[in-house]
Amino acid sequence: MSSETIDYYNQHAAEYVQATVNVDMAELYAEFLPMVKPSGHILDAGCGSGRDAWHFKQQGFSVSAFDASAEMAKIASQRLGQYVATSSFEALNAQSEYDAIWCCASLLHVATQQLPAVLRRLQQAMKPGAVLYASFKYGSTDRFSNGRHFTDLDETSLCSLLSQLPELQLVKSWQSRDQRPDRAADIWLNALITRSPH
């Protein structure tokens, strides 16, 4: 993640939390959580305010979380009542540790050329058979917008990316509208991906 993007979240943490903390995530949870074993260990990678990690914890899952923004990590740790690391995808070094990984609107800040290496790290961190959720703004460009770097993906670029990682299988991808009232025109690409069981 670029230093400009991290700086943006450090400087705008409170307003970002306010804008996202009450977004209705029920439809996405309904796709993801049935694929996670009961009381399984979920990593919320790029957890922002901790909104989703908190929900998973309430559902009886074991949760770990990190965010590249120190301010975000601080807010998330207060919400969760547990330590949230200030860390990045590039620093993830776990081996077969998680039953599921949740990357909601976080991988989209990783530059296109870095995505294969980052996904390889996520793959290594997943237990065999584990599930990964990821979401990107819908499109096919790398862009800098409102102080942040974005990597937009569509179905074609997602499949091209995953073709470099044979252990990862795309279960499902679908488009959805942004749930924030002022962002209703924004389209997201959602993906559920599993690590092969062997």
Side-chain angles (χ1 to χ4, degrees):
M1 190 186 284
S2 71
S3 57
E4 295 97 334
T5 303
I6 295 168
D7 288 346
Y8 174 90
Y9 285 109
N10 281 332
Q11 289 161 19
H12 298 88
E15 65 192 75
Y16 183 80
V17 168
Q18 190 143 21
T20 58
V21 73
N22 293 316
V23 171
D24 182 2
M25 302 294 288
E27 285 184 24
L28 297 178
Y29 296 155
E31 295 280 356
F32 173 71
L33 290 177
M35 298 184 70
V36 187
K37 75 172 194 180
S39 70
H41 190 182
I42 300 174
L43 172 65
D44 190 344
C47 65
S49 68
R51 172 198 64 201
D52 301 328
W54 183 86
H55 178 80
F56 302 151
K57 209 171 168 178
Q58 300 308 300
Q59 303 303 307
F61 295 98
S62 170
V63 173
S64 296
F66 70 78
D67 200 275
S69 158
E71 288 301 313
M72 284 293 190
K74 195 189 310 177
I75 290 166
S77 71
Q78 288 166 352
R79 175 183 295 276
L80 291 171
Q82 69 181 63
Y83 173 70
V84 172
T86 302
S87 190
S88 65
F89 288 110
E90 291 82 0
L92 182 62
N93 212 18
Q95 300 290 326
S96 300
E97 194 168 322
Y98 303 104
D99 297 294
I101 300 181
W102 177 261
C103 299
C104 183
S106 54
L107 278 173
L108 52 69
H109 292 310
V110 176
T112 300
Q113 65 270 26
Q114 300 299 327
L115 271 174
V118 163
L119 275 170
R120 203 162 283 114
R121 287 181 178 275
L122 290 168
Q123 171 186 290
Q124 286 173 352
M126 296 162 75
K127 291 178 182 175
V131 63
L132 165 72
Y133 167 79
S135 60
F136 296 84
K137 293 284 184 79
Y138 193 81
S140 56
T141 55
D142 274 17
R143 59 194 171 85
F144 196 77
S145 173
N146 192 21
R148 292 168 290 171
H149 173 272
F150 289 90
T151 296
D152 299 338
L153 291 190
D154 57 19
E155 292 87 353
T156 303
S157 46
L158 174 65
C159 288
S160 171
L161 177 63
L162 291 175
S163 71
Q164 301 172 57
L165 298 140
E167 267 193 68
L168 294 180
Q169 267 82 45
L170 179 65
V171 176
K172 178 180 182 180
S173 67
W174 70 102
Q175 296 175 31
S176 62
R177 289 200 176 277
D178 200 303
Q179 294 295 308
R180 291 169 288 181
D182 60 328
R183 300 286 183 88
D186 289 3
I187 304 295
W188 290 83
L189 178 69
N190 306 275
L192 287 169
I193 299 158
T194 55
R195 181 178 182 182
S196 60
H198 307 297

